[in-house]
């Protein structure tokens, strides 16, 4: 009976996402298996996955080890040993399995190593050690090259970040840039990143390889707050500063102004501080806004237990709950209450907009002071470089200037955050009711809270079935 083997293929980088490299490896490995009269029963493919980086988990490699240990396959065929392991610890895990099952087969296309013999294992350990050193050397050279490119404001290559064209990563992609700006306005208006992520996933936005991987929350957050949006060059995740202490500017087109970007970053950071690790998801418009007319406890929406799919009954109600400390005596069908409040709020905001002049965008009053402090820092650094002052003098004067600069930058970010948030939250005057309910639920709640501080739902009394708007009492700000 032919031995059942698995083929393992891996490539560290696949910028195009077409899997051509692993496909070539698979063909060569299957040809070798045929020559040995082995039956290939599974291909384990880790495409675009490093075997050198310690924090990377190779899912297919781990599955292959489990299958080997469980006896589901009788051996491995790989293109080369360094496709399997570039860290000695990974090789030792493989050798341990070959110790447990001495009759396992092993072959590579480029050389012939027997992991079942002491000499073969020694040779494998030497080869992996050299592959590991080669990766270390390459990593050091690449890091130095990337630092040099970063200092010059140049890109480091690779796939174009979302927001820029794939064929020319210095040019903005208009469609992607507008998607980013829209999402940023939503963030400032109170919409959750999770809501944006869900919509982007459905529309195929944000991920250059949409459809191959599920978009992560932190990936969307990084896109919306990336320093690249305002032209800042980063190195290893941090904004790179030049010799003058100012951020290095990249040679690509910008998507945001500095004020817009700082406002979004401040809004995201503020939300994390207020609600660390807490989900802000809402399903119903007035959850946490509505209050019981009898005990004044906050009311939340909940699914009506009597509702069935396909029925005409409304599927949710606002009900005072004993579990949440309420009296449990007030309940109201949710949909007509939401419709009434939306109509009242939109009408109130249209009336207010008609009589209130919209303030134009204001400039932060301390902008000149920040610019002067920044110049002072640059002059001090240049004076030390030209030997006009000593290092000791520089280190005496510099910390106070840097603290003031950082304080001013924080104040500027807070100023523009509040300004942009006010702009994003105050643009509901022209919305129709249909437009309102098409918005994300967080945005709907922000619009309601712009006009109301609460909604009192009063008891309807026994036997009353028809919706009575007079029992819904909005509390205006």
């Amino acid at each position: 009976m032919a031995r059942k083997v698995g083929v393992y293929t891996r490539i560290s980088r696949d910028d195009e996402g077409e899997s051509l490299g692993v496909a070539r490896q698979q063909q060569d490995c299957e040809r070798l298996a045929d020559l040995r009269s082995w039956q290939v029963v599974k291909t384990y493919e880790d495409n675009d996955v490093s075997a050198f980086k310690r924090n990377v988990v190779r899912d297919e490699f781990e599955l292959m080890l489990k299958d080997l240990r469980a006896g589901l396959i009788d051996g491995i065929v790989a293109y080369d040993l360094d496709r399997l392991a570039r860290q000695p610890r990974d090789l030792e895990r493989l050798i341990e399995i070959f110790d447990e099952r001495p009759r396992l087969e092993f072959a590579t296309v480029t050389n012939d190593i027997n992991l079942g013999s002491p000499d073969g294992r020694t040779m494998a350990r030497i080869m992996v050690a050299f592959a590991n050193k080669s990766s270390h050397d390459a990593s050091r050279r690449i890091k130095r090259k990337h630092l040099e490119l970063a200092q010059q404001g140049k890109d480091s290559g690779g796939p174009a970040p979302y927001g820029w064209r794939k064929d020319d990563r210095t040019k903005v992609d208009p469609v992607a840039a507008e998607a980013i700006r829209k999402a940023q306005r939503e963030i400032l208006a109170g919409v959750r990143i999770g809501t944006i992520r869900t919509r982007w996933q459905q529309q195929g936005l944000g991920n250059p390889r949409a459809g191959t991987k599920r978009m992560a929350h932190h990936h969307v957050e990084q896109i919306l707050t990336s320093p690249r949006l305002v032209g800042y060059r980063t190195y290893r995740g941090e904004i790179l500063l030049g010799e003058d202490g100012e951020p290095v500017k990249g040679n690509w087109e910008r998507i945001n102004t500095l004020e817009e970007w700082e406002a979004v970053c401040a809004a995201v950071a503020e939300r994390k501080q207020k609600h660390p690790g807490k989900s802000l998801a809402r399903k119903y418009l007035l959850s946490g806004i509505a209050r019981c007319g009898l005990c004044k406890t906050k009311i939340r929406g909940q699914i009506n237990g009597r509702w069935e799919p396909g029925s005409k009954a409304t599927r949710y109600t606002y009900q005072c709950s004993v579990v949440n400390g309420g009296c449990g005596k007030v309940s109201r069908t949710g949909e007509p209450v939401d419709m009434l409040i939306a109509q009242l709020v939109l009408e109130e905001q249209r009336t207010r907009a008609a009589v209130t002049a919209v303030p134009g965008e204001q400039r932060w009053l301390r902008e000149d002071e920040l610019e002067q402090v920044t110049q002072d820092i640059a002059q001090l650094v240049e004076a030390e470089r030209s030997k006009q002052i000593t290092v000791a003098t520089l280190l005496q004067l510099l910390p106070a200037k840097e603290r003031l600069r950082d304080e001013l930058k924080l104040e500027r970010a807070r100023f523009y955050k509040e300004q942009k948030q006010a702009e994003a939250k105050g643009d509901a005057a022209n919305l129709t009711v249909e437009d309102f309910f098409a918005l994300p639920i967080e945005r709907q709640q922000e619009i309601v809270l712009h006009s109301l501080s609460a909604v009192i739902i009063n008891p309807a009394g026994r036997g009353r079935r028809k919706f009575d708007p007079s029992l819904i009492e909005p509390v205006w700000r």
Side-chain angles (χ1 to χ4, degrees):
M1 181 182 294
R3 303 282 280 169
K4 296 182 295 183
V5 298
V7 166
Y8 181 78
T9 61
R10 183 189 67 81
I11 193 169
S12 297
R13 287 191 62 170
D14 181 14
D15 295 338
E16 290 76 25
E18 296 179 356
S19 303
L20 298 179
V22 288
R24 289 191 293 269
Q25 291 180 29
Q26 181 179 347
Q27 291 173 0
D28 292 343
C29 290
E30 289 177 346
R31 191 177 299 114
L32 177 59
D34 288 340
L35 291 174
R36 303 264 178 120
S37 299
W38 296 341
Q39 179 187 358
V40 176
V41 294
K42 181 172 176 56
T43 298
Y44 303 88
E45 179 185 303
D46 280 321
N47 188 44
D48 200 21
V49 179
S50 171
F52 171 69
K53 297 178 180 177
R54 289 180 174 270
N55 61 336
V56 173
V57 176
R58 291 185 283 160
D59 295 333
E60 289 295 293
F61 179 77
E62 297 297 329
L63 178 60
M64 180 190 68
L65 295 184
K66 289 181 181 179
D67 289 349
L68 271 174
R69 184 171 277 114
L72 299 180
I73 55 176
D74 300 319
I76 308 167
V77 180
Y79 184 79
D80 192 277
L81 185 61
D82 68 1
R83 298 302 90 198
L84 276 167
R86 275 184 174 264
Q87 288 290 352
R89 60 178 181 173
D90 288 336
L91 176 64
E92 294 303 326
R93 293 168 65 198
L94 189 60
I95 290 175
E96 182 181 327
I97 297 174
F98 274 75
D99 268 339
E100 297 171 358
R101 300 185 60 204
R103 295 187 67 249
L104 286 177
E105 306 288 359
F106 182 80
T108 61
V109 174
T110 56
N111 48 56
D112 197 3
I113 296 177
N114 181 10
L115 289 183
S117 71
D119 290 344
R121 294 176 187 182
T122 300
M123 182 58 66
R125 288 181 175 117
I126 293 172
M127 293 176 66
V128 168
F130 272 100
N132 183 265
K133 181 181 185 303
S134 174
S135 293
H136 270 293
D137 293 342
S139 175
R140 184 175 62 253
R141 291 192 300 270
I142 290 171
K143 287 178 181 178
R144 182 64 187 89
K145 175 187 175 182
H146 285 180
L147 175 59
E148 182 179 1
L149 291 173
Q151 291 170 334
Q152 296 172 357
K154 296 179 180 179
D155 262 328
S156 299
Y162 186 68
W164 285 266
R165 287 167 44 182
K166 294 181 179 179
D167 59 338
D168 186 353
R169 50 188 291 145
T170 65
K171 303 294 183 183
V172 166
D173 179 344
V175 175
E178 182 53 37
I180 290 173
R181 294 190 192 102
K182 178 183 177 182
Q184 289 176 326
R185 289 192 294 269
E186 289 178 328
I187 291 292
L188 292 169
V191 177
R192 296 167 49 248
I193 288 179
T195 300
I196 295 169
R197 179 190 66 179
T198 300
R199 188 182 74 240
W200 276 16
Q201 190 75 29
Q202 293 169 347
Q203 297 175 350
L205 301 175
N207 193 334
R209 299 179 189 175
T212 61
K213 297 179 181 178
R214 187 176 183 272
M215 189 178 300
H217 181 283
H218 68 85
H219 179 60
V220 179
E221 180 182 315
Q222 194 277 330
I223 289 175
L224 299 179
T225 59
S226 171
R228 183 184 172 91
L229 296 170
V230 289
Y232 286 168
R233 185 62 167 89
T234 58
Y235 179 69
R236 306 188 74 174
E238 300 289 337
I239 296 176
L240 184 66
L241 302 181
E243 294 182 351
D244 58 357
E246 286 298 290
V248 174
K249 300 294 181 65
N251 61 346
W252 55 80
E253 296 178 350
R254 282 55 163 167
I255 289 178
N256 284 144
T257 64
L258 180 61
E259 294 77 16
E260 292 169 339
W261 175 73
E262 286 187 339
V264 173
C265 292
V268 171
E270 182 181 64
R271 194 175 303 180
K272 286 182 177 179
Q273 291 174 353
K274 284 185 176 180
H275 311 281
K278 180 181 177 182
S279 173
L280 303 177
R282 295 288 185 269
K283 292 183 179 179
Y284 309 107
L285 175 64
L286 299 181
S287 288
I289 300 175
R291 288 182 177 270
C292 173
L294 294 179
C295 65
K296 303 303 184 290
T297 300
K298 284 185 177 182
I299 294 177
R300 299 188 180 279
Q302 62 184 42
I303 294 177
N304 187 338
R306 297 186 300 273
W307 181 84
E308 295 180 359
S311 70
K312 294 183 179 180
T314 305
R315 66 181 300 174
Y316 66 96
T317 61
Y318 291 112
Q319 182 163 354
C320 182
S321 172
V322 176
V323 175
N324 293 328
C327 63
K329 297 179 180 179
V330 173
S331 177
R332 190 74 77 255
T333 301
E335 188 176 40
V337 178
D338 287 355
M339 182 63 69
L340 173 65
I341 294 303
Q343 291 171 343
L344 293 175
V345 166
L346 293 177
E347 182 59 34
E348 188 271 342
Q349 294 194 18
R350 279 192 289 269
T351 302
R352 186 191 305 177
V355 298
T356 305
V358 179
E361 183 172 310
Q362 297 179 346
R363 184 174 181 267
W364 181 50
L365 296 179
R366 302 184 71 181
E367 192 73 60
D368 293 339
E369 183 179 352
L370 174 58
E371 185 177 349
Q372 184 59 55
V373 171
T374 303
Q375 291 179 0
D376 291 346
I377 292 174
Q379 289 171 359
L380 284 172
V381 173
E382 180 58 33
E384 188 279 328
R385 187 180 295 113
S386 60
K387 306 302 181 183
Q388 297 178 29
I389 60 174
T390 64
V391 174
T393 302
L394 175 68
L395 296 180
Q396 286 179 347
L397 300 175
L398 202 56
K401 294 285 186 181
E402 289 176 332
R403 282 195 300 271
L404 178 57
R405 178 198 61 192
D406 294 341
E407 290 172 3
L408 289 172
K409 283 187 174 181
L410 182 61
E411 183 180 325
R412 179 179 65 181
R414 190 180 300 115
F415 172 84
Y416 285 116
K417 175 188 72 71
E418 293 173 355
Q419 184 183 90
K420 299 298 180 181
Q421 280 182 327
E423 293 174 3
K425 294 178 181 180
D427 61 355
N430 297 321
L431 290 177
T432 65
V433 173
E434 291 75 16
D435 294 336
F436 174 84
F437 283 110
L439 296 172
I441 190 68
E442 302 95 334
R443 180 72 179 105
Q444 295 176 28
Q445 287 195 322
E446 286 286 353
I447 293 173
V448 169
L449 290 171
H450 195 66
S451 298
L452 303 177
S453 58
V455 174
I456 306 298
I457 299 180
N458 294 299
R462 290 184 177 276
R464 299 189 65 174
R465 296 288 182 182
K466 187 176 180 180
F467 177 70
D468 185 355
S470 66
L471 299 176
I472 310 301
E473 180 185 344
V475 181
W476 301 97
R477 290 191 182 277

